[in-house]
């Protein structure tokens, strides 16, 4: 399998994905991994309308996505995997799937979250999940578009963990 991009973006599919990532990175399939989207036919329809016809959109719940990834279903594909939050990435890693790097593209501010960067707002659960990703040896980098410079968010996450009194496990 050729995983080109693993990205956390709470908007999942939007202009940056279609105009930025798909046009720059050679991708023929997008795998959206989300229990919520897999159970919501309207979201699936809207997402499918946003993806160009040359790219196949696959939407799976976490259990089915982990199964497919571990059983070589996408081995011949140039794949982008989209998650809406770091907790779902942790669940897939706990299922034995490995990622070298996760692009944190957008976790926007909402009530109860603290803004760390322009496109990165977190709560305690997010920070704990990012620390768990780090314990798996996953690189955490932030950038909106592939041509942007990678920004390593580890320091920001560790600083917020310290402020929250969370220790790395």
């Amino acid at each position: 399998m050729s995983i080109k991009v693993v990205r956390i973006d709470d908007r999942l599919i939007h202009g940056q994905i279609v105009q930025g990532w798909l046009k720059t990175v050679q991708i023929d399939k997008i795998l959206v991994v989300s229990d919520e989207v897999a159970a919501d036919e309207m979201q699936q329809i809207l997402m499918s309308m946003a993806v160009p016809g040359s790219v196949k959109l696959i939407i799976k719940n976490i259990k089915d996505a982990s199964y497919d990834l571990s059983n070589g279903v996408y081995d011949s594909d140039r794949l982008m995997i989209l998650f809406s939050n770091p907790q779902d990435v942790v669940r897939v890693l706990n299922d034995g799937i490995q990622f070298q790097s996760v692009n944190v593209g957008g976790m926007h501010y909402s009530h109860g979250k603290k803004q760390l960067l322009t496109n990165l707002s977190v709560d305690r659960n997010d920070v704990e999940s990012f620390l768990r990703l780090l314990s798996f040896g996953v690189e955490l980098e932030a950038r909106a578009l592939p041509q942007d410079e990678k920004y390593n968010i580890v320091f920001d996450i560790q600083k917020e963990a310290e402020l929250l009194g969370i220790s790395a496990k």
Side-chain angles (χ1 to χ4, degrees):
M1 158 179 33
S2 180
I3 298 174
K4 298 294 185 182
V5 180
V6 177
R7 181 176 168 101
I8 298 171
D9 194 318
D10 54 17
R11 297 179 294 166
L12 294 169
I13 296 176
H14 54 89
Q16 283 179 344
I17 300 297
V18 175
Q19 294 299 316
W21 289 91
L22 294 183
K23 288 189 175 188
T24 304
V25 181
Q26 298 290 317
I27 294 168
D28 56 21
K29 288 189 180 170
I30 297 174
L31 174 61
V32 171
V33 181
S34 168
D35 289 345
E36 292 78 21
V37 176
D40 187 332
E41 189 174 340
M42 183 56 72
Q43 281 193 61
Q44 293 174 36
I45 291 168
L46 293 171
M47 284 186 191
S48 68
M49 291 169 48
V51 175
S54 61
V55 176
K56 181 170 171 100
L57 174 64
I58 302 154
I59 300 170
K60 298 276 185 168
N61 64 37
I62 293 164
K63 178 182 175 188
D64 291 343
S66 293
Y67 179 85
D68 287 354
L69 288 165
S70 65
N71 285 291
V73 171
Y74 308 109
D75 280 357
S76 63
D77 300 312
R78 294 181 317 269
L79 190 64
M80 172 183 247
I81 305 174
L82 294 175
F83 294 90
S84 61
N85 60 66
Q87 294 78 23
D88 289 350
V89 182
V90 169
R91 289 176 60 195
V92 169
L93 290 172
N94 283 336
D95 287 340
I97 308 305
Q98 297 179 352
F99 304 128
Q100 292 181 356
S101 179
V102 173
N103 167 256
V104 182
M107 292 177 58
H108 297 86
Y109 180 80
S110 62
H111 181 72
K113 295 203 175 212
K114 178 180 177 183
Q115 186 173 5
L116 301 183
L117 304 169
T118 303
N119 289 324
L120 177 61
S121 296
V122 297
D123 60 18
R124 181 180 195 87
N125 194 17
D126 296 328
V127 172
E128 289 172 345
S129 295
F130 280 127
L131 291 175
R132 182 75 178 126
L133 292 175
L134 290 171
S135 76
F136 277 104
V138 174
E139 173 194 42
L140 297 176
E141 56 98 354
R143 59 187 160 143
L145 297 167
Q147 62 269 23
D148 295 342
E149 188 174 333
K150 285 184 179 184
Y151 177 78
N152 185 336
I153 66 168
V154 172
F155 174 76
D156 303 281
I157 295 300
Q158 289 174 334
K159 182 178 173 185
E160 186 61 20
E162 187 177 307
L163 290 171
L164 292 171
I166 302 169
S167 62
K169 296 172 183 151

